[in-house]
Amino acid sequence: MAELLAAITKKEEKKEEKEEKKSEAREDMEIIVCDVSNEESLGAMASRTKLVINCTGPFRFLGENVIKQCAERGTHYIDICGEPEFMEKSAFKYFNTAQESGVFLFLNLWACV
């Protein structure tokens, strides 16, 4: 079976919450917890997985570092953003980087459901 990775991002996390998430994980899944406000933490997370699904908002405050690290590190990106300014800015700013990395950036995917 292929290895399954799940990345969870949030602003802060207490040690007890990390342990609780680890105990809820499937045996064949590693949970990667990172700090969405820390580019180094996001970069480390993006380097360890092939796809990030970003549900951390508001995106205009918390989304840019996530999409930037994914585009730069060759990690596919999906989000549920409904903020037009963020989507337009991100598309213009990171499209070329993502294309050079060979990854897709899917913004506003919630509207497709």
Side-chain angles (χ1 to χ4, degrees):
M1 179 184 284
E3 183 177 342
L4 178 62
L5 285 165
I8 299 172
T9 62
K10 61 189 290 184
K11 290 181 248 183
E12 296 178 25
E13 182 137 30
K14 297 178 183 170
K15 186 176 180 178
E16 304 80 37
E17 291 174 341
K18 287 180 187 179
E19 295 304 317
E20 183 180 321
K21 283 187 180 74
K22 286 181 184 176
S23 67
E24 293 174 2
R26 292 178 17 183
E27 289 181 24
D28 63 337
M29 178 172 52
E30 177 186 0
I31 294 178
I32 305 167
V33 179
C34 71
D35 181 350
V36 74
S37 64
N38 181 306
E39 281 195 51
E40 187 176 311
S41 177
L42 284 168
M45 177 268 305
S47 295
R48 292 177 58 196
T49 190
K50 294 179 183 179
L51 169 68
V52 170
I53 301 172
N54 185 12
C55 302
T56 305
F59 288 87
R60 66 186 173 278
F61 300 126
L62 301 172
E64 184 170 355
N65 285 337
V66 181
I67 198 168
K68 175 185 176 193
Q69 292 302 318
C70 288
E72 290 178 355
R73 297 182 190 263
T75 305
H76 298 289
Y77 173 90
I78 295 173
D79 73 30
I80 59 165
C81 180
E83 301 171 31
E85 272 184 51
F86 171 80
M87 294 183 302
E88 183 176 15
K89 176 183 171 185
S90 297
F92 282 115
K93 198 167 182 179
Y94 298 109
F95 175 79
N96 289 335
T97 304
Q99 191 173 32
E100 290 167 9
S101 297
V103 296
F104 295 103
L105 305 177
F106 292 103
L107 288 81
N108 192 24
L109 200 62
W110 71 272
C112 299
V113 179

